[in-house]
Amino acid sequence: VPRALSVFLIAALFAAATAPAQTLDAPYVPTPHNVVDAMLELAKVGPRDFVVDLGSGDGRIVIAAAKRYGARGFGVDLDAGLVHTARREARRQGVADRVEFHARNLFITDISQATVLTTYLYPRINLQLRPRIFAELAPGTRVVSHEFDFGTWPPDAKITVPVPDKPYGPPRSDVLLWIVPANAAGRWQWELPSPDGPIVYEARFRQTFQMLKGEVRAGGRQVRVETARLSGASIALVLLEDRAVGTVRHELTGTIEGDSLRGTARTAGASINWRAQRVARGEIDIEAAAAGPAPAAHP
Ligand SMILES: C[S@@+](CC[C@H](N)C(=O)[O-])C[C@H]1O[C@@H](n2cnc3c(N)ncnc32)[C@H](O)[C@@H]1O
């Protein structure tokens, strides 16, 4: 062996032996195949999706997304042996052109490409990921977790799947889905026609995760907000406005893009374009405590 090479080999061996071992933040427990199927179905994975699995193990989630639904994606895992297995399995299953696996720490992985993010990690890890999900993922991105929640962020859907030979706990697994919401917080303005001429509406939305609370005024007068719902970038409002002729019901649906909102306003059976503009931007509250029972009154 040439001297330069042997020096290099010895140095490499020494580096490997003395490098701090990267400790796993969660042990390797593969998601059973029927739970993988349930995760991908709940997220409605399709050929246009890019699936990112954080802590990808043998790669089964990303591989199934590619094989069954034509998606693309990647997985990362700290365990290089598992990454090797995942790559080999992707080749064997004929999806190596659509998926990649990297030996990488999930905490330094760029997740911004994901349209579907999957996890089977401890709640503590999910909680650390939560601010990044809101900061880095586009509205409408689906987050699917096997078993564990994201703290006080309520899931948009949850199903339970039987797992007869589960290695821990009861013989079933929860599958939870969250849809990353757009930021709708702040003050919005728009105009709608009325028999007496256009009326200016102003809404003030407070947003906790995907939950909206709104106050709306029409021409300066309070309007009742019957529904204020947000799913990804889609917003739906039902407003009840008292006018001289009686109560008028508005059904507003639209899509948020930055500080503008476009959609449809239905009033008394007639549909027109709805265009709103944000005049003051607010923040999404992503640190909120779980909504629990109201605190008991002091005696
Ligand atoms: C419960 S297993 C889930 C495997 C796969 N996602 C599945 O559902 O079948 C968790 C995986 O996360 C990996 N892991 C733990 N800490 C990690 C970290 N900081 N960065 C990347 N991978 C990690 C483990 O090696 C393990 O393969």
Side-chain angles (χ1 to χ4, degrees):
V1 181
R3 193 180 135 73
L5 184 57
S6 60
V7 168
F8 171 79
L9 284 175
I10 290 164
L13 281 174
F14 181 76
T18 56
Q22 297 233 56
T23 44
L24 295 180
D25 294 287
Y28 176 54
V29 183
T31 295
H33 289 288
N34 67 318
V35 180
V36 172
D37 293 347
M39 292 172 78
L40 299 175
E41 267 167 45
L42 192 61
K44 297 196 174 76
V45 171
R48 287 148 57 114
D49 277 314
F50 195 92
V51 178
V52 173
D53 188 24
L54 293 179
S56 46
D58 67 1
R60 58 181 63 199
I61 295 177
V62 180
I63 290 170
K67 193 165 182 188
R68 212 155 313 130
Y69 299 98
R72 292 181 308 126
F74 69 77
V76 296
D77 205 292
L78 269 189
D79 184 327
L82 285 170
V83 171
H84 182 76
T85 304
R87 287 180 183 151
R88 196 186 50 216
E89 197 54 24
R91 281 195 298 274
R92 199 180 69 78
Q93 300 213 33
V95 295
D97 56 334
R98 292 212 294 286
V99 303
E100 286 181 5
F101 294 96
H102 308 286
R104 187 176 296 156
N105 195 320
L106 62 92
F107 286 113
I108 56 157
T109 297
D110 181 353
I111 56 172
S112 60
Q113 218 186 336
T115 61
V116 174
L117 184 76
T118 59
T119 59
Y120 181 21
L121 298 165
Y122 286 144
R124 180 175 54 83
I125 311 300
N126 288 353
L127 263 190
Q128 280 175 265
L129 289 169
R130 196 171 75 178
R132 291 187 54 203
I133 288 173
F134 280 84
E136 294 169 34
L137 296 180
T141 302
R142 291 90 84 207
V143 178
V144 203
S145 173
H146 175 190
E147 197 81 304
F148 301 111
D149 63 24
F150 280 79
T152 51
W153 182 14
D156 292 285
K158 175 176 166 178
I159 57 170
T160 303
V161 182
V163 179
D165 46 6
K166 191 163 173 166
Y168 64 94
R172 53 184 173 269
S173 279
D174 288 337
V175 173
L176 303 108
L177 171 78
W178 293 262
I179 297 169
V180 177
N183 176 336
R187 266 171 46 223
W188 296 82
Q189 284 178 354
W190 66 90
E191 229 178 63
L192 291 178
S194 85
D196 305 321
I199 298 180
V200 174
Y201 292 76
E202 178 158 310
R204 195 182 287 266
F205 290 122
R206 278 178 297 130
Q207 181 177 350
T208 305
F209 301 114
Q210 71 275 53
M211 297 165 290
L212 281 187
K213 277 219 173 81
E215 282 166 28
V216 180
R217 302 182 86 79
R221 287 191 316 275
Q222 184 91 23
V223 167
R224 270 170 290 155
V225 180
E226 191 182 82
T227 309
R229 224 186 340 250
L230 185 64
S231 177
S234 303
I235 188 166
L237 303 175
V238 177
L239 308 178
L240 301 172
E241 180 184 347
D242 291 324
R243 291 191 189 154
V245 289
T247 301
V248 176
R249 181 187 170 89
H250 303 282
E251 293 173 7
L252 308 171
T253 53
T255 306
I256 296 172
E257 227 187 288
D259 291 330
S260 60
L261 208 166
R262 288 159 174 271
T264 307
R266 263 169 54 97
T267 305
S271 287
I272 57 165
N273 286 337
W274 176 40
R275 302 261 180 284
Q277 204 59 38
R278 179 153 39 190
V279 293
R281 200 178 164 86
E283 294 294 325
I284 308 177
D285 180 0
I286 59 161
E287 300 298 335
H298 273 291

